[in-house]
Amino acid sequence: MARSIFNGGSTKSTTLSPTDLPAESHAIRINRFNIVLGILPDVPAMEAVLETLRRYRNQCVVARSFLGANETLDLQLMLLGPRASERQDAWRAMALMVERDDRVARKLAWLRPEDPKRDEESFADFLKRTFLARPWMHAEGQFEDAALDELSGTGATAPGLPRTTADEWERIALDEKKSPDDIVTALVRAWERRGQA
């Protein structure tokens, strides 16, 4: 996935130049989620961040060429900010801009703390904003509605979220008449019905 050549060819028309791609990127897969990993520039300058974002979006376009239609819905781009960026207002503004850009893939930025000893705590906070979050888990065990965990369990490792399920989830989440508990129940039921027609 972190390549310069689109799936299906190695001609000039299916290859991006190094000036259109990031100098460094990696890709991993966790269950059904494909993730492109990258690094933000050293300074929170708008021009540098926009250029970095452009190059990583291009990398995500290449990655999408290797994914099935449903898998592209789960493509993520996670970018690492420089040391001590966590509490800098300029970096916070840049990170918000990066995360609001939902073209090609969902984007998340981890702004690292000044003190490396806080990395673990800071990274744990970052994970709470990702698909790896498990808000229904706590130190003493699970909440009773642990059926939520099934959404990311073995039943969810099929290649991507079906578009019909994603559309149904969106309708459920936007239904202002539903209580939070009703929404959770409806989302779990929609997941259980996926692929049945």
Side-chain angles (χ1 to χ4, degrees), residues 134-149 184:
R134 300 293 180 264
W136 54 91
M137 302 292 286
H138 54 85
E140 293 81 38
Q142 296 184 195
F143 292 112
E144 287 190 25
D145 289 332
L148 285 174
D149 206 21
V184 169

Side-chain angles (χ1 to χ4, degrees), residues 112-124:
R112 291 184 296 162
E114 184 175 359
D115 183 357
K117 293 177 184 172
R118 285 202 55 253
D119 279 356
E120 190 173 328
E121 174 189 350
S122 176
F123 188 67

Side-chain angles (χ1 to χ4, degrees), residues 127-194:
L127 288 181
K128 290 176 185 175
R129 301 187 301 116
T130 74
F131 68 92
L132 295 167
R134 300 293 180 264
W136 54 91
M137 302 292 286
H138 54 85
E140 293 81 38
Q142 296 184 195
F143 292 112
E144 287 190 25
D145 289 332
L148 285 174
D149 206 21
E150 290 183 22
L151 296 178
S152 63
T154 56
T157 57
L161 177 67
R163 288 187 189 277
T164 54
T165 304
D167 291 342
E168 185 174 359
W169 278 2
E170 185 176 4
R171 283 192 301 277
I172 292 166
L174 295 175
D175 186 346
E176 295 178 8
K177 296 175 185 170
K178 288 190 182 321
S179 71
D181 287 341
D182 292 338
I183 290 172
V184 169
T185 301
L187 291 173
V188 171
R189 284 191 185 133
W191 177 256
E192 291 169 346
R193 286 193 307 270
R194 76 191 182 287

